[in-house]
Amino acid sequence: MYEIPVTLTQNPKKKPEDESKLGFGKIFTDHMFVMDYEVGRGWYDARVVPYGPFVMDPATTVFHYAQEIFEGMKCYRRQDGGLQLFRPRDNFERMNRSAARMGMPAVDVEQVLAGLIALLKADADWVPSAPGTSLYIRPTMIATDVMLGVHASHNYRFYIICSPSGAYYPKGLAPVGIYVEPELVRAVKGGVGFTKTGGNYAASILAGELAKQKGYEQVLWLDGRENKYIEEVGAMNMFFKINGTLVTPPLLGSILGGITRDSIIKLAKHMNLPVEERSLTVQDVFDAAERGELEEAFGSGTAAVVSPVGRLAWNDKEITISGGEIGAYTQKFYDMLTGIQFGSVQDPFDWVLKID
Ligand code: PLP
Ligand code: COI
């Protein structure tokens, strides 16, 4: 239905030789999808072109006021060599919710999906096949007016770039140490916490660096009002298994509604594991640990997949969860989710979109 013109590169890059050393988001494929927007005209010039830099005026609004949104999704290589996406329409629909909050135009979900598929066909050889690797996909929208007034831009660029990637955390599926940030906050209700806008990540960088200096991989954010309710981690939603029930914070506007989070909730119901979306405080978690009822904790995200939390530090206390090992359900969720994503486990939810 959507014809996307494709210009193939004349200078293909050398592909990585050792897929076990890809890291996350460090190298990029040969092509990108791009389209532009102008108020009154709508989106125009949807195209797949060779990957390369954009030349932009230093006064372009995105550089000053951060009117920018993005998404994160993956393309997986099946055992039979074919390629597939996981819930791609959910990503573009979430992008439209981010766009609405940031005063940016919506995209046509079917058009950008057609653009993504055209891009993946051009870059199919870049989708890695080593265990645990995939092609990370980064749809992005930026405001491109050249002006310094603070108001919605009239022009935007939407683009998709792709990066063959391995595990987000350098240690792979190994328990991570998480630091509960006691003072700095990421987002508040009414703000933009539920969107995937660059500013949320910029706001998290200082705390992330401080946590790293203390020996932890990620920051766990608390609510911005009372500094006690658990929100989410820098790049993932949180789950706790307490006394046989899976608990995850509800979507009240300050955290991202993760597509992996939603998938875990549905998988838990499918497995008859009780699951509750409810507010819980960091004190609740430490109390449950004290009573011996905190059975497992893990984060969920596209990049992070299912990531066990082995240590949780809050003020001067630190707890070890599941003996610092991968919990049984954490492993089960990881296996089921990645099994569906890579096509080795049957997909009862119609989540997978095969593209060849
Ligand atoms: N929370 C934040 C702040 C994130 O950046 C991400 C990653 O996209 C997630 C949660 C998990 O979302 P998803 O499962 O859709 O990747
Ligand atoms: C993702 O999981 O897709 C993300 O966007 C995380 C990213 C901030 C690294």
Side-chain angles (χ1 to χ4, degrees):
M1 194 169 85
Y2 292 96
E3 277 299 316
I4 311 286
V6 176
T7 307
L8 294 177
T9 181
Q10 298 302 308
N11 299 301
K13 290 180 269 197
K14 216 168 151 279
K15 299 201 177 54
E17 265 160 32
D18 184 353
E19 288 185 350
S20 68
K21 296 205 171 68
L22 288 172
F24 175 79
K26 292 186 180 154
I27 53 169
F28 298 92
T29 63
D30 279 326
H31 300 91
M32 59 186 179
F33 173 77
V34 186
M35 64 180 186
D36 293 293
Y37 178 93
E38 189 182 350
V39 168
R41 184 174 176 189
W43 290 105
Y44 63 93
D45 275 359
R47 60 214 186 260
V48 171
V49 291
Y51 186 96
F54 297 138
V55 176
M56 294 213 167
D57 192 290
T60 304
T61 35
V62 64
F63 297 142
H64 299 269
Y65 308 125
Q67 207 190 357
E68 183 267 1
I69 54 175
F70 69 96
E71 269 302 324
M73 55 212 285
K74 285 175 172 172
C75 178
Y76 305 86
R77 192 176 289 286
R78 292 191 304 272
Q79 279 253 290
D80 67 6
L83 302 179
Q84 58 190 34
L85 294 164
F86 182 72
R87 307 185 65 175
R89 290 183 174 85
D90 293 278
N91 284 93
F92 292 125
E93 278 159 16
R94 182 170 69 189
M95 192 168 203
N96 280 341
R97 292 195 293 279
S98 295
R101 175 62 180 84
M102 297 297 288
M104 301 171 87
V107 294
D108 173 340
V109 170
E110 295 308 318
Q111 181 184 24
V112 289
L113 185 57
L116 172 59
I117 291 171
L119 172 61
L120 292 172
K121 289 198 165 148
D123 279 339
D125 289 349
W126 282 92
V127 183
S129 54
T133 65
S134 55
L135 188 74
Y136 185 76
I137 299 165
R138 175 52 61 87
T140 309
M141 193 195 296
I142 55 174
T144 53
D145 271 7
V146 175
M147 53 120 193
L148 295 182
V150 182
H151 49 79
S153 183
H154 288 90
N155 292 276
Y156 296 87
R157 174 161 290 176
F158 173 92
Y159 59 93
I160 306 177
I161 54 174
C162 301
S163 171
S165 292
Y168 184 61
Y169 296 113
K171 288 189 221 142
L173 179 66
V176 291
I178 298 229
Y179 180 73
V180 181
E181 172 52 50
E183 198 180 315
L184 304 172
V185 298
R186 172 187 175 274
V188 289
K189 200 170 161 222
V192 296
F194 70 93
T195 71
K196 249 177 122 58
T197 187
N200 285 333
Y201 299 80
S204 77
I205 282 171
L206 173 63
E209 292 305 305
L210 295 173
K212 240 176 244 150
Q213 283 169 18
K214 294 188 172 83
Y216 299 92
E217 272 103 336
Q218 286 268 320
V219 170
L220 174 62
W221 296 103
L222 300 180
D223 75 283
R225 254 199 182 161
E226 296 182 66
N227 239 2
K228 64 183 202 187
Y229 293 99
I230 287 179
E231 297 240 305
E232 63 181 335
V233 173
M236 48 190 203
N237 294 111
M238 276 306 300
F239 286 87
F240 299 89
K241 183 163 169 278
I242 301 174
N243 205 13
T245 297
L246 199 60
V247 183
T248 192
L251 303 179
L252 300 176
S254 53
I255 69 172
L256 190 75
I259 290 157
T260 321
R261 172 188 179 280
D262 183 70
S263 307
I264 298 285
I265 291 171
K266 292 189 167 115
L267 283 170
K269 289 180 178 160
H270 190 70
M271 287 154 69
N272 290 323
L273 177 68
V275 52
E276 292 175 0
E277 291 177 71
R278 66 167 167 87
S279 299
L280 81 165
T281 63
V282 62
Q283 186 71 55
D284 293 336
V285 170
F286 275 68
D287 287 349
E290 184 114 315
R291 293 194 305 272
E293 291 180 355
L294 177 62
E295 292 149 354
E296 299 183 34
F298 62 88
S300 70
T302 299
V305 195
V306 169
S307 195
V309 175
R311 293 182 303 140
L312 193 62
W314 179 40
N315 294 327
D316 51 358
K317 289 171 266 178
E318 180 179 296
I319 49 175
T320 301
I321 306 166
S322 307
E325 305 286 321
I326 303 172
Y329 272 93
T330 305
Q331 182 75 51
K332 247 184 234 179
F333 285 122
Y334 178 87
D335 292 343
M336 281 182 80
L337 185 70
T338 55
I340 292 172
Q341 289 169 335
F342 285 92
S344 62
V345 167
Q346 201 250 330
D347 166 21
F349 305 96
D350 207 15
W351 283 337
V352 164
L353 180 69
K354 288 190 180 181
I355 60 168
D356 75 349

